[in-house]
């Protein structure tokens, strides 16, 4: 006796056949090669070995030809593809257990050559064979037009017996498990041809119906609708194959982010419609990326997310502003205000802005469209109540592309900024919780309507004492750090800084002192002024106090 691989009701078992070796050889000569499906693992399930398992008493003996290992998925699941060569139908005589495997004694159900010759002379068998070949020829003609594979199938008609063709064609159809067992039990060739003719005819009729529906529908479909239909079919095929079983669906994550964004009901409804539209699109389809970026923006905007404020405690605010008094200008004053209020700070630079779309955003119909600077700033700061600095508001310009200053009217008007409409966003956004601080060097360029919506606070220029403190506390430490120095190696007295302020910086701000107060400029200025030569102290530290004393 020899061992072969057996499939009983699609369960792989090792069986001992009772047929003789010669009979097995005849079977191998008449066998046809079939391809099996995939298996998650070659290791048998050893659980519940003692449980009673009800199996079909007939099966197909097969010989394994090839085993290939598939790609391992992130979940650790591995698929295997097994190619088997079918040998014969058989009947199970006895089942037994050998170790972890089940074995069985089987009896072949295949007819001998003499029996088949007698069957082939039967008029009923001849009629059934003609009917089966006729319907198979029609099916092959349709497949040849659709899939260009009819040539290979026609070879089977000329080289394979009709009763075996019935098994081959029926195995390629999607039929129920009960129908598969019924075909397996059809040992009589006439009964097998009758059943297979019925199944092939049913498959052929379904193809005709599908063609009629497709022709009727495709006449009404546009190009994009056809692409959607094909992609839906591809998605269904991938789901059946399990290719996207372990893939992370980023659209699901985007949907969760939209649901948790806290947006108003009307905005959520619009976002939900856009998300459904995005799910129907292919990632490579035009418009997919722009729609995805738009939904990401809506989900990232701080619709209700606000930072906790310290409250309007004047003493706390005064203490904070006083601590920053010698370190602030117009720009950094807004940052100190935000810190005093406990709010986040965002700076929007408007110098040189000429296009109104920089404020209101571009409409999504344009290529390369993007939201305005205000909406983009709120996305970056991630709260709906920041202190927003509108820097250089007096340096905006107007041309044929619009007037940015006019676009700011809606933002700064308390009656209108509750429903600010960005062209890109295309839904109202509430700016009423934002504290706007606009700074400018001159008031004349600011349009009167825009100036009317502001509370103007004029800041005078720095006094010499303020310049001195700013230089000693901020400018000199920063300059020394930029030059790789520290107060341990160079000491600059207040008298020296006062000299620089009085003779070299007369503007209102501190930009020139920041440029003039450098170690090289201080030393070269003193030498040029008094002609003093460099001197160091006993420990090697360069002391400018020496120059001041000797020149004073």
């Amino acid at each position: 006796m020899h061992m072969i691989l057996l499939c009983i009701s699609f369960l792989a078992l090792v069986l001992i056949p009772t047929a003789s070796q010669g009979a097995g050889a005849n079977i191998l000569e008449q066998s046809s090669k079939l391809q099996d499906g995939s298996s998650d693992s070659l290791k048998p399930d050893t659980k519940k070995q003692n449980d009673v398992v009800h199996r079909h008493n007939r099966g197909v003996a097969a010989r394994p030809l090839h085993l290939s290992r598939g790609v391992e998925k992130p979940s650790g699941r591995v698929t295997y593809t097994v190619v088997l060569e079918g040998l014969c139908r058989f009947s199970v005589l006895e089942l037994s257990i050998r170790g972890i495997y089940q074995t069985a004694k089987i009896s072949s159900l295949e007819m001998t050559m003499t029996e088949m010759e007698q069957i082939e002379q039967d008029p009923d068998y001849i009629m059934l064979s003609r009917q089966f070949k006729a319907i198979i020829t029609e099916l092959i003609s349709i497949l040849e037009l659709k899939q260009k594979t009819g040539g290979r199938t026609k070879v089977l008609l000329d080289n394979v017996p009709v009763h075996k063709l019935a098994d081959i064609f029926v195995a390629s159809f999607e039929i129920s498990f009960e129908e598969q067992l019924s075909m397996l039990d059809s040992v009589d060739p006439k009964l097998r041809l009758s059943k297979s003719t019925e199944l092939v005819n049913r498959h052929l009729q379904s193809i005709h119906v599908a063609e009629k529906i497709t022709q009727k529908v495709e006449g009404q479909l546009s190009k994009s609708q056809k692409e959607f239909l094909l992609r839906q079919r591809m998605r269904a095929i991938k789901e059946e194959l399990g290719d996207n079983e372990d893939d992370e669906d980023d659209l699901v994550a985007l949907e969760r982010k939209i649901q948790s964004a806290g947006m108003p009901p009307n905005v959520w409804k619009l976002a939900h419609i856009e998300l459904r539209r995005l799910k129907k699109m292919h990632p490579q389809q035009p418009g997919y990326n722009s729609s995805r970026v738009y939904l990401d923006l809506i989900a990232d905007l701080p619709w209700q997310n606000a930072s906790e404020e310290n409250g309007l405690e004047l003493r706390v605010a005064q203490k904070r502003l006083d601590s920053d008094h010698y370190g602030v200008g117009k720009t950094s004053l807004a940052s100190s205000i935000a810190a005093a209020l406990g709010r986040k700070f965002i700076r929007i630079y408007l110098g040189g802005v000429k296009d109104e779309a920089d404020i209101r955003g571009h409409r999504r119909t344009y290529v390369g469209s993007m939201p305005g600077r205000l909406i983009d700033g709120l996305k970056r700061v991630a709260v709906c109540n920041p202190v927003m600095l509108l820097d250089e508001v007096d340096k905006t310009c107007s041309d044929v592309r619009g007037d940015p200053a006019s676009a700011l009217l809606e933002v700064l008007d308390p009656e209108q900024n509750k429903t600010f409409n960005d062209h890109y966003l295309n839904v109202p956004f509430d700016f009423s919780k934002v504290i706007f601080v606009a700074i400018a060097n001159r008031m004349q360029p600011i349009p009167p309507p825009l100036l009317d919506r502001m509370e103007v606070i004029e800041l005078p220029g720095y006094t010499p004492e303020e310049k001195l403190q700013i230089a000693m506390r901020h400018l000199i430490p920063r300059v020394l750090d930029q030059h790789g120095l520290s107060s341990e190696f160079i000491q600059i007295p207040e008298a020296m800084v006062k000299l620089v302020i009085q003779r070299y910086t007369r503007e209102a701000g501190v930009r020139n002192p920041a440029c003039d107060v450098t170690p090289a400029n201080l030393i070269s200025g003193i030498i040029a002024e008094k002609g003093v030569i460099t001197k160091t102290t006993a420990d090697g530290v360069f002391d400018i106090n020496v120059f001041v004393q000797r020149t004073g």
Side-chain angles (χ1 to χ4, degrees):
M1 294 184 184
H2 60 278
M3 310 293 290
I4 62 173
L5 185 69
L6 175 70
C7 296
I8 301 181
S9 301
F10 305 97
L11 295 177
L13 302 174
V14 178
L15 299 185
I16 304 175
T18 58
S20 64
Q21 188 172 0
N26 292 333
I27 293 173
L28 293 177
E29 292 177 359
Q30 301 175 7
S31 64
S32 60
K33 295 182 179 180
L34 302 175
Q35 184 169 347
D36 193 17
S38 60
S39 174
D40 288 346
S41 177
L42 294 178
K43 189 174 182 179
D45 187 4
T46 56
K47 298 179 180 179
K48 301 182 179 179
Q49 289 185 349
N50 298 325
D51 294 348
V52 177
V53 180
H54 298 283
R55 296 185 178 89
H56 201 60
N57 61 351
R58 290 181 179 178
V60 177
R63 179 174 57 192
L65 298 180
H66 178 69
L67 172 65
S68 60
R69 186 179 187 272
V71 179
E72 183 174 355
K73 296 188 177 182
S75 63
R77 177 184 176 186
V78 181
T79 58
Y80 294 86
T81 301
V82 183
V83 179
L84 302 176
E85 181 182 6
L87 300 178
C88 66
R89 284 177 169 83
F90 64 84
S91 177
V92 179
L93 301 179
E94 180 183 348
L95 280 175
S96 59
I97 297 178
R98 178 179 296 179
I100 61 174
Y101 300 102
Q102 291 184 339
T103 61
K105 292 183 179 180
I106 62 173
S107 174
S108 175
L109 298 177
E110 293 294 319
M111 291 186 174
T112 63
M113 296 292 294
T114 304
E115 293 174 337
M116 280 304 305
E117 290 177 357
Q118 295 177 354
I119 290 291
E120 290 175 353
Q121 303 299 323
D122 190 335
D124 293 338
Y125 180 83
I126 295 175
M127 181 188 65
L128 289 172
S129 299
R130 290 175 180 174
Q131 292 178 352
F132 181 76
K133 280 194 172 183
I135 196 170
I136 285 297
T137 303
E138 183 180 357
L139 177 62
I140 293 175
S141 301
I142 295 177
L143 295 177
E144 189 174 15
L145 294 175
K146 286 177 172 281
Q147 305 174 1
K148 307 298 181 183
T149 58
R152 290 180 296 176
T153 311
K154 286 182 178 179
V155 178
L156 297 175
L157 294 178
D158 301 329
N159 300 315
V160 179
V162 178
H163 66 282
K164 291 194 173 183
L165 281 177
D167 291 331
I168 294 174
F169 276 89
V170 172
S172 63
F173 300 153
E174 293 184 1
I175 58 178
S176 65
F177 182 70
E178 290 74 14
E179 290 174 327
Q180 292 176 359
L181 292 182
S182 177
M183 283 295 300
L184 181 63
D185 291 336
S186 301
V187 179
D188 184 5
K190 292 190 291 183
L191 178 61
R192 192 185 314 169
L193 283 177
S194 177
K195 290 183 178 181
S196 60
T197 301
E198 179 184 353
L199 293 173
V200 173
N201 183 61
R202 187 177 70 186
H203 184 72
L204 187 62
Q205 294 301 322
S206 65
I207 292 178
H208 288 318
V209 173
E211 283 184 344
K212 292 180 181 179
I213 295 175
T214 302
Q215 292 175 357
K216 183 178 180 180
V217 173
E218 285 184 351
Q220 304 173 356
L221 293 178
S222 63
K223 181 180 178 180
S224 60
Q225 290 173 319
K226 290 180 181 178
E227 291 178 353
F228 166 72
L229 181 61
L230 293 175
R231 291 190 182 97
Q232 289 295 101
R233 290 178 180 176
M234 290 175 60
R235 181 179 298 179
I237 293 172
K238 288 182 179 180
E239 290 178 355
E240 289 294 328
L241 295 176
D243 289 348
N244 57 350
E245 179 181 350
D246 301 305
D247 297 339
E248 174 66 17
D249 192 355
D250 57 347
L251 293 182
V252 175
L254 177 60
E255 185 175 7
R256 285 198 224 100
K257 188 164 68 170
I258 291 175
Q259 292 176 351
S260 61
M263 57 187 67
N266 60 324
V267 181
W268 185 89
K269 182 178 179 181
L270 178 65
H272 188 64
I273 295 174
E274 188 72 18
L275 181 62
R276 284 192 300 177
R277 174 175 170 268
L278 182 66
K279 288 181 178 180
K280 299 177 182 178
M281 300 171 65
H282 191 270
Q284 296 181 352
Q285 184 174 351
Y288 180 90
N289 288 333
S290 60
S291 181
R292 176 61 191 269
V293 172
Y294 174 74
L295 287 174
D296 281 331
L297 173 66
I298 288 184
D300 291 336
L301 283 177
W303 298 94
Q304 296 182 0
N305 186 29
S307 56
E308 296 183 3
E309 300 183 47
N310 295 335
L312 298 177
E313 292 290 339
L314 296 182
R315 293 182 179 178
V316 176
Q318 181 181 3
K319 183 179 180 181
R320 176 70 190 205
L321 294 176
D322 287 342
S323 64
D324 296 338
H325 175 70
Y326 292 114
V328 300
K330 297 188 302 295
T331 302
S332 50
L333 177 61
S335 177
S336 298
I337 294 174
L341 296 176
R343 296 192 180 197
K344 289 188 176 182
F345 174 74
I346 182 69
R347 174 176 174 263
I348 307 295
Y349 185 75
L350 301 178
V353 173
K354 298 180 179 180
D355 194 349
E356 181 182 351
D358 285 336
I359 306 298
R360 287 190 175 274
H362 302 80
R363 299 188 185 277
R364 293 176 59 201
T365 53
Y366 296 111
V367 177
S369 58
M370 60 182 65
R373 299 192 181 192
L374 303 181
I375 290 293
D376 183 67
L378 284 182
K379 175 187 174 182
R380 287 186 283 119
V381 78
V383 291
C384 62
N385 63 338
V387 174
M388 183 175 289
L389 172 65
L390 304 178
D391 199 357
E392 305 291 0
V393 73
D394 59 328
K395 293 181 175 59
T396 59
C397 308
S398 60
D399 58 10
V400 294
R401 291 172 291 183
D403 185 7
S406 299
L408 290 173
L409 293 176
E410 183 180 359
V411 180
L412 300 180
D413 192 336
E415 299 297 329
Q416 301 182 39
N417 60 11
K418 295 180 180 180
T419 56
F420 175 75
N421 188 16
D422 184 277
H423 289 162
Y424 181 87
L425 195 61
N426 202 28
V427 291
F429 192 89
D430 186 5
F431 272 88
S432 61
K433 300 178 183 178
V434 179
I435 294 180
F436 292 95
V437 178
I439 63 173
N441 292 325
R442 296 182 303 157
M443 288 194 302
Q444 289 80 6
I446 302 177
L450 182 61
L451 191 62
D452 184 58
R453 286 166 171 77
M454 302 179 182
E455 294 290 340
V456 179
I457 301 176
E458 295 186 5
L459 299 178
Y462 291 113
T463 64
E465 178 62 25
E466 290 175 332
K467 290 183 179 180
L468 174 64
Q469 295 298 327
I470 292 173
M472 298 299 296
R473 297 185 183 186
H474 302 282
L475 299 184
I476 291 177
R478 184 178 64 190
V479 170
L480 292 179
D481 182 66
Q482 291 173 352
H483 289 76
L485 301 174
S486 66
S487 59
E488 297 178 358
F489 299 96
I490 185 170
Q491 300 171 2
I492 301 177
E494 292 186 1
M496 188 69 258
V497 179
K498 287 181 180 179
L499 181 64
V500 174
I501 292 173
Q502 292 171 0
R503 299 190 180 185
Y504 297 96
T505 61
R506 296 184 180 274
E507 81 286 349
V510 290
R511 286 193 177 91
N512 282 352
C515 299
D516 295 335
V517 179
T518 64
N521 287 352
L522 287 172
I523 296 171
S524 60
I526 296 171
I527 294 175
E529 193 72 24
K530 300 293 184 179
V532 181
I533 301 176
T534 303
K535 181 179 180 181
T536 59
T537 59
D539 56 357
V541 177
F542 183 72
D543 193 354
I544 299 185
N545 278 304
V546 177
F547 300 134
V548 178
Q549 293 171 4
R550 293 182 58 181
T551 58

